[in-house]
Amino acid sequence: MSAEQNQQAQERLGEILEARAFDRFSEVWAEDVVDHDPAPDQGPGLAGIVDFWTQFTTAFPDLSLTPDPLVVTDDFITAVFTIRGTHTGPFQGHEPTGRSFEVRGIQVSKFRDGKIAERWGATDEQGIAEQLHLGEPDTKFVSA
């Protein structure tokens, strides 16, 4: 696949996330996607990705991701982003705090046949935990 096709898939992913149309994730994620940095208790493959995002956007219904630099090649996309949200629903054992967060993250996606086949990523989990007042600074809260 070309870098241009991968970038189009990445843009479609952003549209799907914004629309909360997780039933369309198969348009951009391979069924057997390998998430090298899954969230706690995240299941494997596409079903695990769908479940994570469903839970995440239920806990943070105003969630937004703003991409910053993108590095696009024929095989990979590296995206740096800012993620924001307000904690109004339970998530990963934490009751809603009503507090908001804003942190940075990075995701590297490996593409196969125009879909994300592998994912690596990190988000400032400590920053989320601190801003939401979740207690332990080493709380593993989210991977996306």
Side-chain angles (χ1 to χ4, degrees):
M1 302 303 293
S2 73
E4 183 178 317
Q5 290 168 314
N6 294 342
Q7 184 161 354
Q8 289 171 351
Q10 183 75 27
E11 290 168 2
R12 197 163 51 255
L13 172 59
E15 293 165 6
I16 291 169
L17 284 169
E18 189 171 317
R20 308 295 196 250
F22 307 127
D23 59 326
R24 293 181 44 213
F25 266 3
S26 63
E27 294 177 21
V28 293
W29 295 91
E31 188 69 35
D32 61 347
V33 61
V34 175
D35 189 342
H36 295 281
D37 298 302
D41 301 321
Q42 179 181 320
L46 177 59
I49 300 283
V50 169
D51 185 53
F52 169 79
W53 280 101
T54 300
Q55 289 181 42
F56 200 41
T57 56
T58 298
F60 302 92
D62 64 343
L63 187 78
S64 68
L65 282 102
T66 305
D68 292 318
L70 286 177
V71 178
V72 182
T73 71
D74 288 347
D75 296 315
F76 292 92
I77 290 184
T78 300
V80 176
F81 55 87
T82 300
I83 184 168
R84 299 169 185 84
T86 306
H87 190 202
T88 60
F91 188 68
Q92 294 182 353
H94 299 280
E95 289 302 313
T97 64
R99 293 183 174 91
S100 297
F101 74 90
E102 179 176 322
V103 297
R104 305 259 300 152
I106 187 168
Q107 177 169 297
V108 177
S109 302
K110 182 176 183 179
F111 285 77
R112 178 183 71 225
D113 300 325
K115 294 184 178 185
I116 300 170
E118 294 185 66
R119 176 208 170 271
W120 297 262
T123 301
D124 181 4
E125 296 166 3
Q126 182 173 344
I128 293 173
E130 288 174 357
Q131 291 174 49
L132 299 181
H133 299 209
L134 297 179
E136 297 298 316
D138 61 343
T139 297
K140 176 104 174 129
F141 189 67
V142 63
S143 179

